[in-house]
């Protein structure tokens, strides 16, 4: 066996998958999988999980293992359990998992399983995930098609590989020594699925073309009949939309009123059975029940908008930036949002998350599920990614916009007085807007007073040894289109440090913006999460009897993708600190890691800098 690094927890020795397609287009998957546990943290690789639902029945499953001492085991059927799919707290799905905890799954142990399973009959598409967290020594994917069928493949995050023709409509792709993607100790990393290689195979019966299925237009034409009748309005839906838009004539005002309603008043709850994983429920049912999943909420939004003369459609995305690959047409993704067509010639400064399709039409992109992002904007993790704009034959893949840093901002300002004994007292105001306000908005709208105070105390502990807070006021916590404003009075003991005749004072009173970089060689892209603008402005009235002996040097650094600027100035007996930190991009290639390290060091040094006061 090959030699693996000390961090490698387990290795897949063999993974063979065969998809056999019947004349009716339905498939059966046969899979063999063998894994060896190398270290204690690899024991979970010996737990077998096979998901299934009413249309993907498991026809057979066999599990064997060899313990490190050589003892062999064969798991009996009554030792297998069927459990709900993980993460179904807000879901009702018919997806379950057949689970087996194989014996002997300790370092040196080997676990093997083999199963046959029916595949979903809704779309003639199958994705082979040939790269995962741990390395794979040998693997293959075999496609067996009926006479007259054709196939086509698309590849994501990997060069296209040619299949071996095994004759009689049988084709095989093989991979050897596929490296694992271990991101556990990699700071600011993208999703594993945004890096992992995968192949999607499309197959088609006589009279149709697999090549047409392997296009974004083909995906859109398949999906269009699934959504066509579901987005129809009803008199009840139209009446509600009319009431929400009463007195409003401006396009943005009308769409915002309906968008806010679906976002806030239609509860997120998932009911999926069979094709319900891809097809939304009828808009009438969603409106009547008052709940739905992401595609349901986008569907109801479309129905309501259509009743007031606004066209919109659904857009397939993935909540992990980089997973949807523009070069690999497929239904691989986990989220659905809305694209609202903007009238020709209409302009407004409020239109922020806008894309232009190949048809020349402009769309406002909005996610009615993400309940802490204001209408007209787009959550940070979707920015810079890709979405499938479903418009029938005009379906296309579009790049989602990266929003201005000003739309994701934190502005802190404070006026303080420093006493001779080192106590700092004063008032602070913090204003947040955009994604950086999400956690705080949830805190102040969904948590109790004790939780709110605990969070504030914990946050301030990063910058103060001891601190007391009084007179906390919060404004606009539920108003997403307004700045979330928090203000309070604080008293921090031992803020300054005495060193003989010198007094050390940190001009940056609070607010930590450090970056979690390391010193290792960077191999994967860098995820900066989102654009943002951070601005701090603090004044400290110094105690009598002291003069400034030394001030921190100003900082001015522009790396292109981000900039950082700060200054400390003395006016009379008042120390003034100001800084502006701007992040302009959401991701970087690995070769920019050195620049990110430089930026991180500059921020860290500035945040720890002190002014030196000397007794007169």
């Amino acid at each position: 066996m090959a030699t693996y690094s000390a961090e490698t927890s387990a290795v897949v020795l063999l993974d063979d998958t065969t998809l056999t397609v019947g004349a009716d287009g339905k498939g059966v998957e046969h899979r063999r999988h063998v894994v060896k546990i190398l270290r204690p943290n690899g024991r979970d690789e010996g737990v077998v999980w096979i998901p299934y639902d009413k249309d993907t029945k498991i026809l057979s499953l066999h599990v064997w293992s060899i313990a490190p001492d050589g003892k062999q085991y064969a798991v009996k059927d009554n030792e297998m359990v069927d459990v709900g799919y993980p993460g179904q707290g807000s879901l009702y799905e018919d997806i379950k998992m057949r689970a087996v905890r194989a014996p002997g799954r300790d370092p040196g142990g080997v676990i093997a399983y083999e199963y046959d399973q029916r595949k979903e009959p809704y779309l003639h598409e199958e994705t082979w995930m040939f790269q995962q967290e741990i390395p794979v020594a040998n693997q293959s994917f075999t496609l067996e098609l009926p006479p007259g069928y054709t196939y086509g493949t698309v590849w994501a995050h990997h060069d296209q590989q040619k299949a071996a023709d095994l004759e009689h409509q049988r084709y095989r792709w093989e991979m050897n020594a596929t490296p694992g993607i271990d991101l556990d100790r990699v700071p600011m990393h993208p999703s594993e699925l945004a890096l992992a290689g995968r192949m999607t195979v499309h197959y088609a019966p006589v009279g149709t073309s697999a090549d047409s299925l392997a296009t974004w237009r083909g995906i859109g034409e398949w999906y269009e009949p699934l959504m066509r009748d579901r987005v129809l309005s009803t008199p009840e839906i139209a009446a509600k939309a009319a009431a929400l838009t009463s007195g409003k004539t401006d396009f943005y005002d009308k769409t915002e009123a309906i968008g806010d309603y679906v976002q806030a008043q239609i509860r997120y709850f998932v009911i999926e059975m069979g094709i319900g994983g891809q097809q939304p429920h009828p808009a009438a049912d969603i409106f009547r029940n008052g709940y739905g999943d992401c595609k349901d909420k986008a569907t109801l939004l479309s129905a309501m908008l259509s009743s007031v003369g606004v066209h919109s459609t659904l857009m397939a995305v993935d909540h992990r930036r980089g997973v949807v690959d523009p070069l690999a047409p497929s239904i691989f993704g986990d989220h659905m949002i809305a694209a609202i067509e903007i009238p020709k010639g209409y302009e407004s400064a409020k239109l922020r998350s806008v894309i232009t399709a190949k048809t020349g039409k402009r769309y406002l992109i909005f996610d009615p599920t993400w309940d802490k992002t204001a209408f007209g904007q787009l959550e940070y993790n979707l920015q810079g990614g890709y979405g499938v704009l479903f418009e029938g034959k005009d379906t296309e893949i579009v790049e989602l916009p990266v929003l201005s840093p000003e739309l994701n901002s934190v502005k802190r300002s404070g006026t303080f007085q420093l006493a001779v004994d080192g106590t700092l007292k004063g008032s602070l105001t913090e204003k947040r807007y955009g994604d950086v306000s999400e956690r705080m908005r949830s805190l102040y709208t969904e948590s109790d007073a004790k939780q709110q105070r605990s969070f504030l105390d914990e946050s301030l502990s990063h910058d103060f040894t001891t601190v007391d807070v009084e007179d906390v006021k919060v404004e606009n916590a539920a108003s997403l289109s307004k700045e979330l404003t928090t203000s309070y009075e604080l008293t921090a003991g031992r803020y300054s440090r005495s060193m003989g005749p010198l007094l050390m004072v940190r001009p940056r009173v609070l607010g930590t913006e450090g970056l979690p970089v390391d010193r290792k060689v960077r191999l994967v892209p860098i995820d900066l999460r989102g654009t943002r603008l951070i601005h701090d402005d603090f004044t400290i009235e110094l105690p009598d009897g002291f003069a400034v002996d030394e001030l921190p040097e100003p900082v001015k650094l522009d790396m292109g993708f981000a900039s950082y600027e700060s200054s400390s100035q003395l006016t009379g007996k008042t120390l003034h600190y100001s800084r502006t930190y701007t992040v302009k991009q959401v991701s970087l290639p690995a070769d920019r890691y050195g620049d990110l390290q430089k930026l991180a060091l500059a921020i860290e040094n500035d945040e720890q800098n002190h002014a030196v006061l000397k007794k007169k």
Side-chain angles (χ1 to χ4, degrees):
M1 189 174 73
T3 302
Y4 297 97
S5 70
E7 290 79 23
T8 304
S9 61
V11 58
V12 176
L13 303 179
L14 175 70
D15 190 88
D16 283 342
T17 301
T18 298
L19 177 63
T20 302
V21 180
D24 58 359
K26 297 180 180 180
V28 173
E29 178 183 276
H30 177 79
R31 187 180 180 194
R32 296 184 300 154
H33 185 90
V34 183
V35 62
K36 182 170 185 176
I37 311 301
L38 301 182
R39 289 170 182 82
N41 62 340
R43 289 191 177 100
D44 285 348
E45 298 296 335
V47 180
V48 181
W49 302 89
I50 312 297
Y52 69 94
D53 60 21
K54 69 182 183 66
D55 293 320
T56 58
K57 181 180 179 182
I58 297 174
L59 304 176
S60 66
L61 172 62
H62 304 284
V63 180
W64 307 270
S65 61
I66 303 175
D69 61 4
K71 187 175 181 179
Q72 300 182 19
Y73 300 90
V75 178
K76 299 177 182 178
D77 289 348
N78 61 8
E79 295 175 311
M80 303 179 186
V81 295
D82 291 324
V83 298
Y85 199 85
Q88 290 192 11
S90 61
L91 314 177
Y92 181 84
E93 299 177 299
D94 66 341
I95 300 178
K96 294 183 175 61
M97 305 279 280
R98 186 154 297 168
V100 179
R101 291 185 178 275
R105 50 190 183 91
D106 292 307
V110 176
I111 293 85
Y113 62 84
E114 181 175 24
Y115 67 81
D116 288 285
Q117 182 179 23
R118 293 175 184 158
K119 300 302 294 180
E120 293 182 353
Y122 320 123
L123 178 65
H124 294 167
E125 171 184 306
E126 183 69 19
T127 294
W128 178 36
M129 297 295 303
F130 55 79
Q131 194 169 22
Q132 53 186 287
E133 183 177 345
I134 61 175
V136 183
N138 180 275
Q139 60 186 321
S140 68
F141 180 88
T142 302
L143 178 65
E144 299 181 349
L145 295 173
Y149 267 60
T150 59
Y151 78 91
T153 61
V154 293
W155 295 70
H157 316 136
H158 197 279
D159 293 336
Q160 184 160 345
Q161 304 291 307
K162 188 176 181 180
D165 190 340
L166 305 182
E167 299 183 344
H168 307 297
Q169 290 284 82
R170 298 173 65 244
Y171 309 92
R172 176 177 293 167
W173 294 263
E174 294 187 0
M175 294 278 185
N176 296 303
T178 306
I181 303 176
D182 185 0
L183 302 176
D184 285 347
R185 299 173 183 83
V186 180
M188 305 177 71
H189 63 75
S191 165
E192 177 188 320
L193 288 177
L195 303 174
R198 65 179 189 261
M199 177 194 77
T200 297
V201 58
H202 301 266
Y203 49 92
V206 179
T208 58
S209 170
D211 290 336
S212 67
L213 289 176
T215 64
W216 293 116
R217 173 175 174 171
I219 298 295
E221 290 179 330
W222 167 79
Y223 196 73
E224 198 274 336
L226 292 181
M227 60 176 279
R228 182 193 306 132
D229 296 335
R230 304 300 172 109
V231 297
L232 297 179
S233 184
T234 65
E236 293 77 15
I237 289 175
K240 183 63 178 181
L244 291 169
T245 59
S246 178
K248 295 178 171 62
T249 58
D250 179 73
F251 165 78
Y252 185 89
D253 292 342
K254 290 194 299 183
T255 53
E256 181 185 36
I258 293 174
D260 286 349
Y261 168 79
V262 176
Q263 183 185 53
Q265 301 303 319
I266 302 301
R267 186 164 57 97
Y268 179 75
F269 190 81
V270 179
I271 297 181
E272 291 182 356
M273 299 184 69
I275 199 171
Q278 283 87 31
Q279 185 179 41
H281 292 89
D285 294 347
I286 304 163
F287 180 71
R288 182 179 61 253
N289 295 330
Y291 61 77
D293 65 8
C294 58
K295 58 187 177 295
D296 292 336
K297 296 187 73 165
T299 294
L300 178 58
L301 177 70
S302 185
M304 297 185 78
L305 289 172
S306 70
S307 70
V308 297
V310 176
H311 171 70
S312 66
T313 187
L314 276 59
M315 173 179 282
V317 296
D318 194 284
H319 83 282
R320 299 151 296 195
R321 181 170 41 241
V323 171
V324 177
D325 190 321
L327 303 179
S330 74
I331 60 168
F332 197 90
D334 69 350
H335 193 37
M336 195 77 78
I337 60 176
I340 305 169
E341 185 179 344
I342 302 168
K344 189 174 182 179
Y346 180 85
E347 297 294 341
S348 171
K350 296 179 180 179
L351 296 176
R352 292 155 174 170
S353 180
V354 176
I355 60 100
T356 301
K358 292 179 181 178
T359 58
K361 296 178 180 179
R362 293 184 304 146
Y363 295 84
L364 175 65
I365 309 305
F366 173 59
D367 183 356
T369 301
W370 206 270
D371 63 356
K372 293 296 184 291
T373 298
F375 184 81
Q377 299 197 187
L378 189 66
E379 59 262 35
Y380 71 91
N381 49 313
L382 296 185
Q383 294 179 37
Y386 287 87
V388 187
L389 179 69
F390 286 123
E391 286 285 24
K393 63 181 179 59
D394 291 325
T395 294
E396 61 175 291
I397 189 77
V398 295
E399 186 172 7
L400 300 176
V402 175
L403 302 191
S404 168
E406 288 77 11
L407 299 175
N408 192 36
S409 62
V410 180
K411 301 172 184 176
R412 308 180 190 96
S413 60
T415 302
F416 307 93
Q417 300 80 42
L418 181 65
V420 176
D421 66 357
T423 300
L424 185 76
K425 298 183 67 173
S427 59
L428 182 122
T429 298
E430 179 183 273
K431 296 184 177 182
R432 289 178 174 260
Y433 185 78
D435 287 320
V436 290
S437 69
E438 179 182 332
R439 185 177 182 186
M440 299 291 286
R441 290 186 191 276
S442 297
L443 178 74
Y444 288 116
T445 57
E446 301 169 14
S447 301
D448 59 30
K450 182 179 179 180
Q451 292 171 316
Q452 294 168 9
R453 182 55 185 261
S454 176
F455 176 84
L456 182 58
D457 289 344
E458 194 277 331
S459 298
L460 293 175
S461 69
H462 295 292
D463 293 309
F464 303 105
T465 303
T466 61
V467 63
D468 291 318
V469 175
E470 296 179 341
D471 197 21
V472 179
K473 297 177 182 177
V474 179
E475 300 176 68
N476 306 323
S479 300
L480 302 183
S481 60
K482 298 179 181 180
E483 290 179 319
L484 167 63
T485 302
T486 308
S487 60
Y488 49 86
E489 303 291 322
L490 69 80
T491 301
R494 303 196 300 276
Y495 182 74
S496 61
R497 290 182 292 139
S498 296
M499 299 181 66
L502 303 179
L503 196 64
M504 311 292 289
V505 181
R506 189 182 68 222
R508 177 197 62 86
V509 177
L510 77 165
T512 303
E513 303 300 334
L515 297 168
V517 298
D518 59 19
R519 298 325 238 165
K520 297 179 180 179
V521 176
R522 186 76 180 197
L523 300 176
V524 301
I526 305 155
D527 191 337
L528 299 173
R529 287 180 60 82
T531 60
R532 55 195 174 276
L533 172 65
I534 312 296
H535 182 72
D536 291 329
D537 195 279
F538 304 129
T539 59
I540 303 175
E541 184 180 338
L542 302 176
D544 293 332
F546 284 87
V548 171
D549 186 62
E550 183 179 337
L551 285 176
E553 291 291 327
V555 179
K556 189 170 184 179
L557 184 65
D558 191 339
M559 309 304 299
F561 63 87
S563 61
Y564 188 87
E565 186 172 352
S566 75
S567 66
S568 300
Q569 298 176 337
L570 181 68
T571 304
K573 56 182 293 186
T574 300
L575 178 62
H576 177 235
Y577 173 82
S578 177
R579 73 165 169 180
T580 301
Y581 173 35
T582 307
V583 179
K584 308 167 190 175
Q585 296 178 213
V586 295
S587 58
L588 295 172
D591 61 10
R592 296 298 305 275
Y593 198 52
D595 292 332
L596 188 70
Q597 291 170 323
K598 183 178 179 180
L599 175 64
L601 182 61
I603 296 174
E604 180 183 8
N605 288 340
D606 181 62
E607 291 188 340
Q608 298 304 319
N609 271 337
H610 285 72
V612 181
L613 309 184
K614 188 175 183 180
K615 285 185 179 181
K616 294 180 181 178

